[in-house]
Amino acid sequence: MAVRQAVFLVGGKGTRLGKLTATTPKPLLAIAPDILLLDLLIEEAARHGFTDIVLLAGHLGDSVERLYHGRQIRGATIRVIREPEPAGTGGALRHAAGMLDPWFLLANGDSWFDINLRALAVAPPRDRLARMALRSMEDTGRYGSVELHGRRITAFTEKKAATGPGLINGGLYLLNRAVLDHIAGPCSIEQDVFPELVRQGAVDGRVFDGYFLDIGLPETLAQARRDLPFRLARPAAFLDRDGVLNTDRGYTHRPEQLQWIEGAREAVLALNEAGYLVFVVTNQAGVAHGFYHEADVHAFHARMQTELADIGAHIDAFYHCPFHPDATIRRYRHPSHPDRKPNPGMLLKARREWRIRDRGSFLTGDRDSDIEAANRAGMPGMLFDGGNLLATVRQALAAVRPVAGPLPKPIFTETPAMQAG
Ligand SMILES: [Mg+2]
């Protein structure tokens, strides 16, 4: 079973930020207009398919609870757990013991490491209790350093004890619930629990090279607000489904009919790793003709997600059009529904619902109607005429990937009120 739970530590005091965090918990600081850091972190987990999100709140936890408890964000459900009294990150985790899955993602709520979260959660190690996302840094001093031999972490030094280039703890972990056996009372996961687990050889490390940011200092918060306008919008790959991702058997809809096109899952993974949003856009006239229901479409897509998760890949969202001009089911009859390709409605809807960067975005489909939909949405369409989808997607990436040049315009302009005090 794919890991579906993501737990965020949002109880930190943020003392180094002074008055900024006197009344606002660090994860609730705005990193762009109308975007709190925690919004971004939750959205990232949700789009990677983590549907059960738990926020461990402490300091100023009432505001976290008020803003997030019970909300649904991109299909994920959010629960806020407030510790009765400060007991460190370890104590906060222990307090949530009753609701933890056997394996779950744990993340710091005051940093963002832009990686493929599915790759961190893929195939949990049978003989370890934790897997840590690592990043190489020019100077590890501020963060503390980690030594990796093969896949195993052999040394873990807390911040400021070491300097110079090396690997740092990226603040993102895949944890087995059994780590709770190593937490007796109030303690820090980073300072107490991990060093002990590392001594026992129980922690795997995996190196990622994504953008890393923590907002623990006024200057890093200011940096975040400068960088993020360029990072929040991603290029998107729109993939037709039948005949592109899976073999088209004619009105394919039963999960057991799912047969991946050669290189299809690997193509999705390559797009995930390249920082793309990946959307499926599929006409499903079989619904209009009464051959199957929309619930069957969703079930088929759920099977796709599960099999993608097995290799560390995911689809960010599925868009399907159940309408057809000759529908036998009246409510699905429409002479030219805006969502039905070659109309571009599904692509335009994705553009409204996600922060998509036009530059670098493209569609791959196996019919002229796919390509026409792309062109009508103002983006390139690449025809897939069989063979290996990974090869086609690699060609598409090479063709559309922006060459070195000026960064796109920021999506907002920094205002003085947003600068770190
Ligand atoms: Mg097709």
Side-chain angles (χ1 to χ4, degrees), residues 339-399:
D339 285 353
R340 182 169 167 78
K341 295 176 288 186
N343 293 332
M346 290 188 283
L347 287 75
L348 302 180
K349 190 184 271 179
R351 220 184 234 155
R352 285 194 301 273
E353 294 179 350
W354 298 79
R355 288 184 291 271
I356 294 175
R357 180 186 300 174
D358 287 341
R359 199 156 84 171
S361 295
F362 67 93
L363 173 144
T364 298
D366 64 340
R367 294 194 187 189
D368 292 343
S369 56
D370 295 316
I371 308 305
E372 187 180 334
N375 293 339
R376 285 167 63 184
M379 82 179 61
M382 315 279 178
L383 196 66
F384 174 65
D385 52 9
N388 186 305
L389 186 66
L390 178 60
T392 299
V393 160
R394 283 210 176 116
Q395 282 167 12
L397 284 174

Side-chain angles (χ1 to χ4, degrees), residues 231-246:
R231 303 239 170 223
L232 290 178
R234 300 175 186 276
F238 291 87
L239 305 177
D240 174 45
R241 200 192 79 183
D242 300 331
V244 172
L245 287 171
N246 56 280

Side-chain angles (χ1 to χ4, degrees), residues 53-90:
I53 296 196
V54 179
L55 307 180
L56 303 182
H59 174 62
L60 304 171
D62 50 340
S63 47
V64 177
E65 188 166 29
R66 206 168 47 241
L67 275 173
Y68 291 99
H69 187 68
R71 271 178 71 190
Q72 296 260 344
I73 294 183
R74 295 213 191 280
T77 305
I78 302 165
R79 293 178 285 176
V80 177
I81 309 300
R82 292 174 63 181
E83 54 180 353
E85 54 198 48
T89 49

